Amino acid sequence: MKDSDVTHIALCDHDDYVDPDTFYQYTKVLNKDRNVKIIYSDEDVVKYKGDPEAYYVMKPDFNPYHMESCNYINHFFVCEKNLLGKIKTKDGLYERPEFDGAQDYDLYLRLIEEALELDHKLQKQEEVKIRQAIYTSSTIHHVPKVLYHWRAAENSTAQDPRNKLYAFDAGKRALEEYFKRRRVDIAGVEHTDVWGTYRVKYNLKQEPLVSVIIPNKDHVEDLKVAIESVRSGTYKNLEFIIVENNSVEPETFAYYDTLKDDQNIKVVYFDGEYNYSAVNNFGVKYASGEFLLLLNNDVKMIAADSIAEMVAILEREQVGAVGAELLFANGELQHAGVIVGFGHSAGHIFHHIRPEFSYGNRANCVVNYSAVTAACLLVKKATYDKIGGFSEEFAVSFNDVDFCLKIRALGDLIVYTPYAKFYHYESKSRGADTAEEKRLRMEQEARLLRDKWPEIYKVGDPYYNENFTLQYFNCSLKGKGEV
């Protein structure tokens, strides 16, 4: 074969092995869509072929913020030869020796930059997928099959990351250079407690006014905690809009009276039956801020720079909304991102799991999801207005999922960050419905969500691997007979 006949390059380690089906699966993708420039697959880590103790590495479709947290793509990586030519150095190199140990991460980041430039040009022809909220990339394709077997040889990073600590320093430098090339203003990149994952520290040039919208019914002590915890953080340019709805306790109105002289807090009154969507839409009318923080009254901020972290991410290009890590009082996760499809509706990934036990350490990484909870969600007011706010037919359930999917339908990204950290006491402040009323309402609103966004239920949430079950929140594999 002549060099001119080569159209694609495959990258792998010398001591690993690929599935017999691998090249067929990749060729099938390339034959179907000539816009694809990069392909990667799921993989497993083994000591020898047929290893019964292999563990699986199941990946999402292209997830740009996950890639900025760690090299989640890894193997089996194939790219178009012409794309590879675009990142060749002046010395004629593709992999750069100064990033030895993380040369693949550096290479992938540079290739992804080129691929994203092509994505931008191709988005016009992806309008249908964008409107259906399933678009991730035109040029970067994930095959959700285990097609690569990464051999955990002695002294390899697959067996023990501490064997090559220099590689993680190289990865840190590769990320720092990546942000410099993309002109994203960062203070730096830090190692986390898990080797091979990184935290990006942003420089916040300015503090735009953030309007904090808090629906409230009684439970004054909880409301006070929510407001004071946010006020005690590092971000100070805040106003609070308390949307009063059907409170009955005298203590509630006595507290409102104490706020009359506080220029940064408004109490507005929404009359009528509780409807989360309508309450928030009403409250936003009174907001003066460029940014809106939608916040439940039963949360407590526990990381002082949470709001600054969320604002810095939302200021980045193509980000539509940012969600936070919410914890139960015992340290288990209440929220670390939303997966569309759980239980035939949608649900919180890693629910009731401690962050350190999340699959692939994902709860501790900044990543993209299709949705995040509106119990703590930051969005630009311009975006809120553009999508028409919350859809009021979702009175109690799944309104935030629909809200985020409407943002995704603009072509924007939803980002979850674990560095914005809150306690959430989950619906503590609203009176409970009878079990039957709640069940019927949830079923109705779940059906409405499926009817409104049918394609994402048909093809699956792009940020969740199709090999994972939709019955549990722990990223376990599908059981026998589960579709």
Side-chain angles (χ1 to χ4, degrees):
M1 179 184 288
K2 295 183 295 185
D3 183 63
S4 59
D5 294 331
V6 176
T7 60
H8 291 77
I9 305 294
L11 303 176
C12 59
D13 292 340
H14 70 284
D15 54 349
D16 300 332
Y17 57 97
V18 297
D19 197 84
D21 198 34
T22 302
F23 290 102
Y24 167 75
Q25 293 292 341
Y26 278 41
T27 302
K28 190 165 70 169
V29 170
L30 295 171
N31 286 339
K32 183 179 180 181
D33 189 349
R34 294 296 179 177
N35 289 327
V36 172
K37 309 297 181 185
I38 292 171
I39 312 177
Y40 64 96
S41 72
D42 297 336
E43 60 190 279
D44 59 9
V45 179
V46 300
K47 292 182 181 178
Y48 52 85
K49 194 169 182 177
D51 184 2
E53 296 182 359
Y55 66 86
Y56 297 102
V57 183
M58 301 300 190
K59 307 165 189 177
D61 289 350
F62 180 57
N63 193 312
Y65 276 75
H66 198 179
M67 197 63 186
E68 292 176 4
S69 297
C70 63
N71 179 11
Y72 86 88
I73 286 179
N74 256 327
H75 314 107
F76 178 59
F77 189 89
V78 166
C79 71
E80 187 185 69
K81 183 182 175 183
N82 289 339
L83 188 73
L84 195 62
K86 289 184 178 182
I87 56 96
K88 186 188 293 187
T89 69
K90 292 178 180 178
D91 299 325
L93 301 175
Y94 300 103
E95 293 182 344
R96 301 189 290 180
E98 60 266 39
F99 297 100
D100 186 34
Q103 67 279 355
D104 53 350
Y105 194 19
D106 172 61
L107 181 71
Y108 296 173
L109 289 171
R110 288 183 287 134
L111 287 167
I112 284 169
E113 286 177 69
E114 295 291 339
L116 291 177
E117 286 293 320
L118 293 172
D119 273 353
H120 185 69
K121 297 174 183 177
L122 292 167
Q123 278 200 343
K124 195 81 174 173
Q125 66 190 55
E126 299 285 7
E127 285 182 352
V128 172
K129 284 186 177 180
I130 291 171
R131 287 198 305 270
Q132 294 169 338
I134 59 173
Y135 177 78
T136 58
S137 173
S138 305
T139 59
I140 304 170
H141 186 89
H142 164 233
V143 179
K145 297 178 183 293
V146 177
L147 299 176
Y148 188 86
H149 309 285
W150 191 7
R151 202 189 305 274
E154 190 175 356
N155 297 324
S156 72
T157 52
Q159 186 180 64
D160 187 346
R162 292 170 296 181
N163 286 325
K164 294 183 180 178
L165 294 181
Y166 71 90
F168 304 121
D169 287 328
K172 175 178 176 293
R173 285 185 280 107
L175 264 180
E176 287 169 341
E177 227 188 72
Y178 161 86
F179 284 109
K180 186 176 180 180
R181 289 193 304 269
R182 300 200 71 185
R183 294 185 174 87
V184 178
D185 189 19
I186 64 168
V189 175
E190 298 178 350
H191 294 292
T192 71
D193 292 337
V194 176
W195 289 109
T197 62
Y198 305 94
R199 178 183 181 179
V200 180
K201 295 280 286 185
Y202 295 94
N203 283 323
L204 196 60
K205 293 180 181 178
Q206 54 186 350
E207 286 195 1
L209 177 63
V210 174
S211 298
V212 185
I213 314 296
I214 309 179
N216 188 67
K217 178 186 177 183
D218 293 318
H219 291 268
V220 166
E221 293 307 313
D222 295 326
L223 178 62
K224 288 180 183 177
V225 168
I227 292 173
E228 292 310 314
S229 67
V230 172
R231 273 185 149 177
S232 68
T234 60
Y235 198 96
K236 299 302 181 183
N237 195 13
L238 302 164
E239 69 168 6
F240 294 83
I241 314 293
I242 301 171
V243 189
E244 159 57 34
N245 180 221
N246 296 329
S247 291
V248 294
E249 296 174 0
E251 295 85 354
T252 303
F253 299 98
Y255 173 62
Y256 293 159
D257 283 339
T258 69
L259 302 176
K260 288 180 179 178
D261 295 329
D262 193 324
Q263 295 181 348
N264 295 321
I265 300 181
K266 302 174 190 173
V267 180
V268 299
Y269 292 79
F270 179 86
D271 295 326
E273 187 178 345
Y274 175 70
N275 178 313
Y276 179 87
S277 298
V279 167
N280 275 282
N281 289 342
F282 179 78
V284 167
K285 293 177 183 178
Y286 295 87
S288 304
E290 178 187 348
F291 287 19
L292 307 172
L293 178 64
L294 310 177
L295 196 70
N296 277 20
N297 64 350
D298 55 357
V299 302
K300 176 183 179 182
M301 192 174 82
I302 52 179
D305 60 349
S306 293
I307 310 303
E309 165 79 5
M310 296 174 81
V311 169
I313 293 175
L314 190 59
E315 286 185 329
R316 287 190 62 183
E317 185 179 0
Q318 207 186 342
V319 176
V322 181
E325 178 183 276
L326 305 182
L327 298 166
F328 291 110
N330 64 0
E332 293 176 351
L333 286 162
Q334 193 274 334
H335 170 266
V338 173
I339 301 301
V340 178
F342 275 153
H344 302 291
S345 53
H348 294 187
I349 194 170
F350 309 129
H351 195 58
H352 279 294
I353 294 171
R354 296 186 67 87
E356 61 269 29
F357 300 134
S358 60
Y359 184 86
N361 194 44
R362 208 163 293 175
N364 291 316
C365 293
V366 177
V367 296
N368 297 113
Y369 283 110
S370 290
V372 290
T373 180
C376 182
L377 182 153
L378 189 72
V379 63
K380 289 181 180 175
K381 190 172 188 297
T383 303
Y384 193 100
D385 292 340
K386 190 172 184 179
I387 64 170
F390 284 95
S391 301
E392 296 184 9
E393 61 267 33
F394 294 97
V396 179
S397 302
F398 309 117
N399 35 57
D400 45 8
V401 182
D402 174 71
F403 182 87
C404 288
L405 292 178
K406 289 196 293 183
I407 292 174
R408 290 282 294 129
L410 299 176
D412 289 343
L413 296 168
I414 308 298
V415 181
Y416 156 80
T417 174
Y419 305 113
K421 204 178 296 286
F422 296 73
Y423 285 124
H424 184 209
Y425 305 108
E426 198 173 24
S427 304
K428 173 182 174 183
S429 62
R430 300 301 305 188
D433 297 328
T434 66
E436 183 65 10
E437 286 175 340
K438 184 175 181 180
R439 184 185 65 80
L440 291 174
R441 186 196 65 233
M442 283 191 69
E443 286 180 359
Q444 179 184 355
E445 293 181 355
R447 185 163 53 250
L448 179 62
L449 188 69
R450 292 193 299 271
D451 290 344
K452 190 172 180 180
W453 303 99
E455 200 62 24
I456 196 168
Y457 285 94
K458 179 181 176 182
V459 303
D461 191 321
Y463 298 116
Y464 189 69
N465 192 290
E466 67 179 41
N467 297 294
F468 290 147
T469 180
L470 291 170
Q471 305 304 314
Y472 308 104
F473 306 121
N474 61 355
C475 292
S476 55
L477 297 178
K478 286 180 177 177
K480 289 183 178 179
E482 187 178 345
V483 178

